[in-house]
Amino acid sequence: MSQERVILVGVETEKNYLHFDSSMKELKSLTKTANGEVVFSLVQKRQQVDRQTVIGKGKVAELQQLAEAHEADLVIFNHELTPRQSQLIGDALEVPVIDRVQLILDIFAMRARSKEGKLQVELAQLDYLLPRLIGQGKNMSRLGGGIGTRGPGETKLETDRRHIRNRITIIKRELKEVAAHRDRTRQKRKDSQVFQMGLIGYTNAGKSTILNILTSADTYEQDQLFATLDPLTKRWRMPEGFEVTITDTVGFIQELPTQLIDAFHSTLEESQNMDFLLHVVDASSEERVQQEETVLKLMEELSLTQLPMLTVYNKADRIDADQFVPTLFPNVLISAKSTKGKERLTQAIKMELMQIMQPYHLVLQADEGNALNRLKRESLVLSNAFDEATQTYHIKGFALEDTYPLRRMAQEQE
């Protein structure tokens, strides 16, 4: 598949100057992920963006020349464009113009695997495109043929608004059914009292890699933004026998478009029902602190801050570990690519679980093999000694409130 030649456009203002460089860098990565080749970046400093064309008439003329000189197929703005801005710039350049939101939607369309993921992408695309149908005529001719045009939201757009509104209604109805099914699955996991862990973090921090090394799940694992779109839940048995589920979620990103927060709320909602979160951070990223802030801010919006959390600083192989200064606690520094990484992470998780669980001590009779197996599965067993004299097992471990080991201990003490 040949790459499209792309020009990026960004305006540094009083509002965004702190994060402007990292935002442009991220836009470049996003473009690469969408199979685009950045041939030029046009950057401008202004007090505020121009209301009509974002960059002003003079710069638009310059951009037109640049597009011709570089034979650009597409221009991507690092700002959300209003329908009017989009039309004015597109008419002046005579080259298709999209913005950061459309680019992200496009990548989501490439990545969606499950029925729910595809439906949510389509909903977000349709919501976004509906007010922008005027002036889309020229772009429609390239539909299905490049960045900003992928995914299911591209049929009949220029001619049929009613078709889009009807489709939105149908998708919302289907999503409700899918959400109800997901709720039932989630409730089943809760009822079975399985300990649930969630992976969260900035996009491309290595969440899927960590899921893979812990559970041997074969998830899509690439050095790309938004490699995972659909929440994926896998079972993991810890070395002590304790069985937990781990759910991978879509990566967070700064300035996540509001359409996406709405559309992907249910994928992130999964995390609200977790017992424990693993916040994966790319320790080698130059924007690490800012990425941490982005995730923590989104966690606040999603009411996740009350959940116990371990920060996993990943990609230790790319940094000088002795010089590394963590910002979030508790934490562990690992390289998910190394064998020691798995051991260190497992040990750190175990230490944290002991903080959030309650200790118990039970005595089982020699013929209670089933109860012993259940304890190993449903709690963190730390010691298991058999007393020859009394023919009993002495089990010490940690368990969550209102689970079998603690209920049994309470019965024995009555």
Side-chain angles (χ1 to χ4, degrees):
M1 194 177 165
S2 64
Q3 289 189 313
E4 284 184 83
R5 296 171 65 79
V6 179
I7 291 178
L8 305 182
V9 183
V11 180
E12 185 179 328
T13 64
E14 289 175 348
K15 279 185 180 174
N16 71 6
Y17 74 95
L18 281 174
H19 303 317
F20 180 72
D21 288 344
S22 66
S23 177
M24 285 299 288
K25 215 182 280 179
E26 193 164 78
L27 188 69
K28 193 172 182 178
S29 297
L30 288 165
T31 305
K32 193 178 149 198
T33 299
N35 200 34
E37 179 196 357
V38 177
V39 292
F40 193 84
S41 290
L42 179 68
V43 174
Q44 185 190 27
K45 284 189 182 184
R46 299 174 67 103
Q47 277 194 310
Q48 58 192 64
V49 297
D50 182 83
R51 282 171 60 187
Q52 286 197 301
T53 60
V54 180
I55 53 177
K57 273 186 185 168
K59 275 287 180 197
V60 170
E62 187 187 326
L63 184 56
Q64 188 191 1
Q65 290 171 344
L66 284 166
E68 272 181 36
H70 289 279
E71 297 179 345
D73 301 305
L74 181 67
V75 172
I76 303 177
F77 275 73
N78 196 24
H79 313 265
E80 186 171 341
L81 300 175
T82 65
R84 180 80 180 131
Q85 286 168 341
S86 205
Q87 191 186 355
L88 284 171
I89 300 164
D91 288 350
L93 296 184
E94 296 182 341
V95 172
V97 175
I98 66 169
D99 61 19
R100 185 188 178 92
V101 180
Q102 275 170 289
L103 177 62
I104 293 172
L105 283 171
D106 189 69
I107 294 168
F108 274 47
M110 287 164 67
R111 295 274 176 267
R113 300 278 194 281
S114 71
K115 182 185 178 187
E116 183 181 26
K118 286 174 179 167
L119 285 171
Q120 286 177 327
V121 173
E122 185 176 357
L123 181 62
Q125 285 180 322
L126 294 176
D127 274 341
Y128 191 74
L129 284 166
L130 192 58
R132 290 168 170 76
L133 288 179
I134 309 159
Q136 285 280 340
K138 288 176 195 159
N139 284 3
M140 287 300 143
S141 59
R142 62 193 288 282
L143 274 179
I147 299 171
T149 66
R150 276 178 278 243
E154 66 228 20
T155 47
K156 294 187 181 177
L157 289 183
E158 73 277 45
T159 53
D160 199 352
R161 284 177 182 232
R162 198 175 335 141
H163 166 79
I164 293 176
R165 289 203 181 95
N166 291 344
R167 185 74 192 124
I168 286 174
T169 309
I170 291 165
I171 291 172
K172 284 183 174 170
R173 196 181 307 137
E174 284 190 45
L175 276 172
K176 266 189 182 161
E177 288 167 19
V178 176
H181 175 69
R182 186 199 285 287
D183 275 345
R184 287 195 293 275
T185 310
R186 194 187 291 155
Q187 198 52 51
K188 259 188 205 161
R189 281 209 302 270
K190 259 212 153 7
D191 292 345
S192 66
Q193 293 191 324
V194 173
F195 187 88
Q196 299 178 68
M197 281 166 43
L199 283 164
I200 58 162
Y202 208 77
T203 183
N204 202 28
K207 296 184 296 299
S208 299
T209 312
I210 283 170
L211 182 74
N212 284 345
I213 62 162
L214 290 179
T215 66
S216 310
D218 190 19
T219 58
Y220 185 76
E221 174 197 316
Q222 280 292 324
D223 188 12
Q224 286 178 329
L225 299 177
F226 300 120
T228 302
L229 190 62
D230 306 307
L232 178 79
T233 299
K234 292 283 171 190
R235 192 175 284 271
W236 174 42
R237 178 176 288 177
M238 293 180 70
E240 294 76 14
F242 184 31
E243 288 185 359
V244 304
T245 60
I246 307 183
T247 300
D248 191 8
T249 57
V250 62
F252 293 13
I253 187 169
Q254 60 169 318
E255 298 162 42
L256 187 72
T258 47
Q259 296 86 341
L260 289 179
I261 290 184
D262 294 343
F264 288 87
H265 214 255
S266 62
T267 60
L268 294 170
E269 253 174 19
E270 277 283 275
S271 308
Q272 292 173 340
N273 296 282
M274 297 296 149
D275 297 302
F276 184 61
L277 294 178
L278 293 175
H279 172 198
V280 185
V281 178
D282 178 354
S284 67
S285 170
E286 291 170 21
E287 316 298 333
R288 189 194 97 210
V289 174
Q290 190 198 320
Q291 290 175 0
E292 288 175 353
E293 284 169 7
T294 300
V295 172
L296 295 177
K297 189 167 161 249
L298 271 166
M299 281 179 67
E300 222 164 275
E301 287 171 22
L302 289 158
S303 313
L304 297 175
T305 41
Q306 79 289 354
L307 296 174
M309 183 170 85
L310 170 68
T311 298
V312 182
Y313 286 111
N314 188 25
K315 307 191 185 180
D317 50 309
R318 298 188 187 178
I319 58 166
D320 180 348
D322 297 330
Q323 301 292 311
F324 180 73
V325 182
T327 27
L328 300 176
F329 298 87
N331 63 62
V332 59
L333 176 64
I334 66 156
S335 165
K337 297 286 185 192
S338 74
T339 44
K340 276 204 177 133
K342 180 179 180 178
E343 286 167 30
R344 289 191 67 165
L345 177 58
T346 305
Q347 189 58 26
I349 291 171
K350 183 174 154 184
M351 298 309 286
E352 285 312 304
L353 294 191
M354 285 159 65
Q355 298 291 323
I356 61 174
M357 291 171 149
Q358 293 183 16
Y360 71 84
H361 179 195
L362 284 171
V363 178
L364 301 184
Q365 300 305 313
D367 60 357
E368 289 190 275
N370 284 344
L372 178 60
N373 287 335
R374 188 174 174 186
L375 286 177
K376 284 179 180 173
R377 267 200 325 272
E378 296 180 21
S379 70
L380 191 60
V381 172
L382 295 187
S383 71
N384 165 19
F386 185 68
D387 186 335
E388 291 283 349
T390 58
Q391 291 288 296
T392 53
Y393 290 102
H394 289 255
I395 318 292
K396 286 182 180 175
F398 286 82
L400 274 187
E401 264 181 62
D402 199 33
T403 53
Y404 170 68
L406 292 177
R407 285 201 302 267
R408 171 142 183 177
M409 191 167 79
Q411 282 167 2
E412 286 184 6
Q413 286 169 352
E414 279 173 9

